[in-house]
């Protein structure tokens, strides 16, 4: 089992120098950040809470945070293979996987492509069909520029990687991935047979109807739609709540620790 409380480190996986952090002890929980983000941006407000009962492994995916680009386009499938290779590197045989936004797509691909690695999965504010978003989202994506990227995300990236060119690469990778996204099949989603928690906000960027559709497609799933936006329920940096109260944490923790009846 991987060493605990080691802070930040790097591992070379699939030709990528991937940054990762390990916090706490217990059954492994992998946290996968959203697009344009990193470990701290997505999970910085809640990571320590999860680390009380879990060995938390946070990752920065290709071109994000402290992990450099490797000169090829990103995909949810490649990100999934990278995380799977990291778990193998750390000698972790099985883990719970939680992904937020684009990270939820990566989490689903881990479950599809490497099911033996996944004990339980938390899919937060994620999608598997283009219809998961309103039409305006795809219209926006056609002509999105770096200036369209939320300033808190830009500032967070430059705070740990003060390289404007790298920021532009990250934005380009995420933009091109979204522009080229093609629907995943219902059969692929049905192959995710491990226990799943599908969670989102009622005012999320993902349509609630799509969140419900995803939940109904999964063979062994629970559903939670909170009175919330995109990420404020876990303190994502663009949606930090002033009261510091992140209601999803208790719900996720109960799902992860509850034994199956």
């Amino acid at each position: 089992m991987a060493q605990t409380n080691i802070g930040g480190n790097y591992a070379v996986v699939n030709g990528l120098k991937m940054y990762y952090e390990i916090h706490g002890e217990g059954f492994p929980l992998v946290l996968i950040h959203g697009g344009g983000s990193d470990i701290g941006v997505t999970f910085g407000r809640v990571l320590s809470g999860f680390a009380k009962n879990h060995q938390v492994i946070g990752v920065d995916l290709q071109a994000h945070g402290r992990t450099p680009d490797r000169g090829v386009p990103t995909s949810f499938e490649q990100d999934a293979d990278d995380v799977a290779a990291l778990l193998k590197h750390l000698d972790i045989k099985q883990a719970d996987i939680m992904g937020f936004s684009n990270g939820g797509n990566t989490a689903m691909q881990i479950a599809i492509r490497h099911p033996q690695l996944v004990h339980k999965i938390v899919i937060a504010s994620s999608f598997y069909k283009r219809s998961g978003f309103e039409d305006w989202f795809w219209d926006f994506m056609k002509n999105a520029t770096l200036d369209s990227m939320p300033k808190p995300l830009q500032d967070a990236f430059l705070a740990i990687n003060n390289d404007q060119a790298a920021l532009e690469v990250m934005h380009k990778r995420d933009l091109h991935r979204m522009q080229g996204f093609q629907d995943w099949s219902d059969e692929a989603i049905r192959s995710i047979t491990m226990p799943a928690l599908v969670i989102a906000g009622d005012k999320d960027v993902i349509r609630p109807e799509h969140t419900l559709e995803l939940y109904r497609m999964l063979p062994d799933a629970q559903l939670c739609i909170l009175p919330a936006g995109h990420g404020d329920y876990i303190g994502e940096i663009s949606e930090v709540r002033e009261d510091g109260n992140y209601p999803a944490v208790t719900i996720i923790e109960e799902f992860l620790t509850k034994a199956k009846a």
Side-chain angles (χ1 to χ4, degrees):
M1 187 63 69
Q3 182 183 357
T4 58
N5 300 314
I6 66 173
N9 209 336
Y10 287 90
V12 177
V13 296
N14 298 331
L16 177 70
K17 185 180 178 183
M18 176 180 275
Y19 176 82
Y20 68 95
E21 297 178 0
I22 297 180
H23 303 268
E25 298 181 352
F27 190 80
L29 169 63
V30 179
L31 299 180
I32 306 177
H33 62 74
S37 304
D38 58 49
I39 301 165
V41 166
T42 299
F43 298 108
R45 271 57 57 195
V46 297
L47 190 153
S48 61
F50 287 126
K52 292 177 182 178
N53 298 307
H54 307 272
Q55 182 191 59
V56 174
I57 301 112
V59 300
D60 283 352
L61 300 173
Q62 176 186 332
H64 292 73
R66 296 171 176 83
T67 297
D69 185 60
R70 61 180 150 199
V72 297
T74 55
S75 69
F76 295 122
E77 292 82 359
Q78 182 60 62
D79 283 346
D81 291 349
D82 292 341
V83 175
L86 176 65
L87 293 179
K88 181 178 180 180
H89 171 82
L90 296 174
D91 195 28
I92 293 175
K93 306 300 183 185
Q94 195 175 53
D96 294 327
I97 310 288
M98 175 178 173
F100 167 74
S101 196
N102 278 6
N105 291 65
T106 297
M108 284 188 277
Q109 283 297 329
I110 296 172
I112 292 167
R113 298 167 71 85
H114 308 277
Q116 74 282 358
L117 292 176
V118 185
H119 177 243
K120 292 183 178 181
I121 183 172
V122 179
I123 305 166
S125 296
S126 304
F127 69 104
Y128 78 101
K129 291 182 178 179
R130 293 177 69 89
S131 60
F133 297 91
E134 300 289 356
D135 289 342
W136 67 262
F137 177 85
W138 299 112
D139 291 339
F140 168 78
M141 278 291 165
K142 290 177 183 177
N143 301 301
T145 65
L146 181 60
D147 290 339
S148 308
M149 183 178 179
K151 190 68 161 47
L153 299 187
Q154 295 190 47
D155 292 345
F157 181 92
L158 294 173
I160 60 175
N161 185 0
N162 190 22
D163 184 342
Q164 185 68 26
L167 174 62
E168 292 172 1
V169 168
M170 178 182 71
H171 179 264
K172 179 181 72 173
R173 295 295 187 212
D174 283 343
L175 178 63
H176 290 174
R177 168 169 31 198
M178 295 302 288
Q179 288 175 335
F181 182 83
Q182 299 296 317
D183 291 357
W184 296 345
S185 70
D186 292 345
E187 289 73 20
I189 300 301
R190 290 193 188 101
S191 75
I192 302 174
T193 57
M194 64 286 299
L197 173 63
V198 179
I199 188 167
D202 62 343
K203 296 177 178 62
D204 216 303
V205 66
I206 306 297
R207 298 170 57 244
E209 294 85 356
H210 183 70
T211 300
L212 179 62
E213 180 182 3
L214 173 59
Y215 155 73
R216 285 178 168 165
M217 199 63 59
L218 292 162
D220 184 6
Q222 298 178 37
L223 174 66
C224 178
I225 297 183
L226 295 161
H230 189 67
D232 54 357
Y233 56 86
I234 56 168
E236 195 272 340
I237 199 170
S238 297
E239 301 286 348
V240 172
R241 294 169 63 109
E242 291 184 4
D243 60 9
N245 180 31
Y246 305 115
V249 175
T250 300
I251 295 167
I252 294 166
E253 186 67 24
E254 289 180 354
F255 166 74
L256 293 175
T257 57
K258 183 178 179 181
K260 188 172 182 179

